Amino acid sequence: MSYPVEHKTVFVLDRGPLFARSCKQSIEYDVMSKTKTPGIIPAAPITKSMWTCNVETMIEYMRIVFDIFPAKRTIRVVVGDETLNEWQQKDQNIQQVMLALGQVGPPGPKAKEDENVIRGLTQAVQVLCDPTPLQQEEDQDLLQNKGRIICLTTVKSESQMRAYEECVSDAIIQHNQLAEDSDR
């Protein structure tokens, strides 16, 4: 049986203060205003936060992957330096991730900006080093330890983007060096 090279995905969610802000996308909740009943005052609009939009994006991605590739692709979620689920099949479902996100909660307006993403990216590389149950069962030549990191964040400049890329690159080099040293 052949497996895709990238059977692992790690999402890194930014909980910086920018994600506590509104994205100006309204949530439809006032059914009464649609009926145009006289004497009813319409409710004030409620808008989604950037955090909510990121969570919805990640959950939709997970839903699609789990529908198309059941039990063949695994997804883990990292917020800051906290990993919300594991590679085991029992943790590979949307309900598990949503419960963990509920425990973490939305970002606050006073959260630290870059520190959160840097810690998350470093943790994501560490998580990719952990073998999945499939990797533990299969021949290492057949199923290599590779995957992807999807980081949902904002960047203010190209230099900040390069700093994030360097963070991931440095973490990969460190982990590869550790693995090489342990093989000797």
Side-chain angles (χ1 to χ4, degrees):
M1 178 182 267
S2 69
Y3 292 95
V5 172
E6 72 293 334
H7 80 287
K8 297 164 130 178
T9 301
V10 179
F11 266 93
V12 177
L13 296 179
D14 186 348
R15 279 187 76 231
L18 286 174
F19 291 92
R21 294 183 185 169
S22 170
C23 71
K24 298 184 174 49
Q25 181 182 1
S26 295
I27 298 172
E28 289 290 327
Y29 69 96
D30 190 8
V31 179
M32 296 299 287
S33 67
K34 291 181 181 179
T35 61
K36 305 287 186 210
T37 307
I40 301 288
I41 300 171
I46 296 175
T47 58
K48 294 180 184 180
S49 68
M50 295 293 289
W51 172 257
T52 301
C53 289
N54 273 355
V55 168
E56 287 177 350
T57 298
M58 181 194 63
I59 295 300
E60 189 62 17
Y61 178 95
M62 291 176 76
R63 186 192 64 76
I64 292 167
V65 168
F66 292 155
D67 284 351
I68 296 173
F69 306 106
K72 288 188 179 177
R73 306 267 171 110
T74 53
I75 299 172
R76 285 182 74 178
V77 180
V78 172
V79 178
D81 54 2
E82 187 176 346
T83 305
L84 304 185
N85 64 332
E86 298 295 327
W87 293 127
Q88 281 73 28
Q89 200 58 43
K90 69 178 179 61
D91 291 331
Q92 295 298 306
N93 63 71
I94 292 170
Q95 294 80 11
Q96 177 74 24
V97 172
M98 291 299 287
L99 283 171
L101 283 168
Q103 295 293 319
V104 170
K110 299 197 189 286
K112 295 189 176 172
E113 284 189 42
D114 284 349
E115 180 182 306
N116 177 24
V117 177
I118 297 292
R119 285 192 340 251
L121 291 170
T122 304
Q123 181 67 21
V125 172
Q126 172 61 45
V127 163
L128 281 176
C129 292
D130 298 340
T132 63
L134 190 60
Q135 286 175 296
Q136 292 170 349
E137 295 169 8
E138 293 292 330
D139 180 17
Q140 292 299 318
D141 294 331
L142 180 64
L143 190 60
Q144 297 177 353
N145 192 25
K146 294 185 178 182
R148 69 173 58 101
I149 296 172
I150 300 173
C151 182
L152 298 179
T153 188
T154 60
V155 292
K156 296 177 182 145
S157 64
E158 281 292 318
S159 63
Q160 186 180 27
M161 180 63 154
R162 278 191 288 285
Y164 290 161
E165 289 170 350
E166 285 177 28
C167 168
V168 171
S169 180
D170 291 346
I172 290 171
I173 289 168
Q174 269 186 316
H175 283 282
N176 285 345
Q177 186 64 46
L178 286 170
E180 188 177 305
D181 291 345
S182 69
D183 287 344
R184 292 182 187 171

